[in-house]
Amino acid sequence: MTDEQILELLPRIAAVSAQVDANLQVWVGRLRDRGVTWARIGGALGMTRQSAWERFSGEE
């Protein structure tokens, strides 16, 4: 691929990434509503409990 082709592709990749992030947020929220722990969610995503909480809790 040429540089121009790759540059044209980047916005589409970014849009897909944003959709994936939004879907993850929804599904993690559903799991939390069901009482699933941050440890289990983190484990399913290959990250620590703390990393999952920081990414998806919405708290600071």
Side-chain angles (χ1 to χ4, degrees):
M1 294 179 80
T2 68
D3 292 347
E4 287 305 314
Q5 289 171 319
I6 295 170
L7 288 167
E8 290 173 9
L9 187 59
L10 287 181
R12 294 194 331 224
I13 294 170
V16 169
S17 176
Q19 288 176 326
V20 168
D21 286 341
N23 280 320
L24 275 172
Q25 190 71 45
V26 168
W27 289 106
V28 167
R30 288 179 182 172
L31 287 168
R32 291 296 298 151
D33 289 345
R34 294 179 178 198
V36 176
T37 66
W38 286 113
R40 288 186 66 199
I41 293 167
L45 293 171
M47 61 177 61
T48 65
R49 173 202 61 80
Q50 183 68 28
S51 294
W53 180 86
E54 288 173 1
R55 180 170 176 188
F56 298 106
S57 73
E59 298 179 33
E60 292 185 24

